[in-house]
């Protein structure tokens, strides 16, 4: 299947439905159960021993990578077929340590979309809704020339 022919929403929906293979980052970061809405994305994630820093806690890069993924996907969900994006700025705030072996929920929503820039904000929470980390991403929108 030529994914360049799909809108961003269709592309993500096909991943969620298993019609297209999940990106490898999903396996790396313990992400699953993708839910896609126009301008909004929700995904489950779980940190494991392979996400630890030298002290044995979950590395801050886990939250940063998950937030980069959900904010980028939220922007992607609003893009037309053949249009790509890339994160140019990512800001992350950690409120609490990310636990290992616990199901978490990452969500993001688009707050701004123009012809060349998309901005989305996201959170990572435990299943009780306790906020662990939040972030915002600015994405450059790459449109075909012509």
């Amino acid at each position: 299947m030529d994914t360049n022919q799909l809108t961003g929403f269709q592309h993500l929906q096909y991943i969620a439905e298993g019609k297209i293979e999940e990106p490898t980052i999903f396996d790396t970061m313990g992400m699953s159960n993708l839910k896609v809405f126009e301008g909004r994305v929700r995904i489950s994630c779980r940190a494991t021993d392979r996400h630890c820093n030298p002290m044995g806690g979950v590395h801050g890069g886990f939250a940063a990578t998950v937030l980069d993924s959900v904010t980028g996907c939220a922007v992607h969900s609003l893009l037309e077929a053949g249009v790509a994006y890339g994160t140019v700025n990512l800001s992350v705030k950690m409120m609490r340590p990310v636990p290992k072996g616990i199901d978490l929920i990452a969500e993001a929503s688009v707050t701004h979309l123009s012809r060349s820039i998309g901005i989305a904000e996201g959170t990572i929470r435990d299943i009780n809704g306790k906020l662990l980390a939040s972030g915002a991403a600015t994405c450059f929108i790459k449109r075909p020339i012509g």
Side-chain angles (χ1 to χ4, degrees):
M1 173 179 298
D2 182 6
T3 57
N4 287 325
Q5 301 300 314
L6 300 174
T7 67
F9 181 83
Q10 291 169 326
H11 187 181
L12 293 169
Q13 191 63 41
Y14 280 21
I15 291 169
E17 294 171 356
K19 295 178 181 176
I20 295 175
E21 192 171 322
E22 293 178 341
T24 56
I25 196 70
F26 277 38
D27 183 52
T28 301
M29 301 310 298
M31 295 189 293
S32 63
N33 198 25
L34 174 66
K35 303 286 185 215
V36 184
F37 311 91
E38 290 189 9
R40 190 167 62 89
V41 170
R42 179 180 173 149
I43 196 162
S44 300
C45 58
R46 179 186 281 245
T48 67
D49 286 333
R50 68 184 186 182
H51 301 115
C52 290
N53 62 30
M55 297 173 292
V58 175
H59 191 283
F62 177 85
T65 302
V66 170
L67 286 165
D68 184 41
S69 295
V70 293
T71 54
C73 285
V75 170
H76 189 176
S77 74
L78 294 177
L79 299 181
E80 310 90 74
V83 177
Y85 74 94
T87 303
V88 294
N89 184 288
L90 179 66
S91 171
V92 176
K93 303 243 187 292
M94 274 43 127
M95 285 71 163
R96 294 180 172 84
V98 172
K100 285 188 286 185
I102 303 292
D103 288 329
L104 306 171
I105 302 297
E107 294 183 283
S109 298
V110 173
T111 58
H112 172 78
L113 185 68
S114 69
R115 181 153 176 77
S116 59
I117 295 290
I119 300 172
E121 296 177 351
T123 60
I124 300 174
R125 297 178 184 271
D126 68 15
I127 58 171
N128 297 316
K130 189 174 283 190
L131 182 62
L132 304 174
S134 66
T138 302
C139 299
F140 173 75
I141 309 297
K142 184 176 180 182
R143 298 183 182 280
I145 297 172

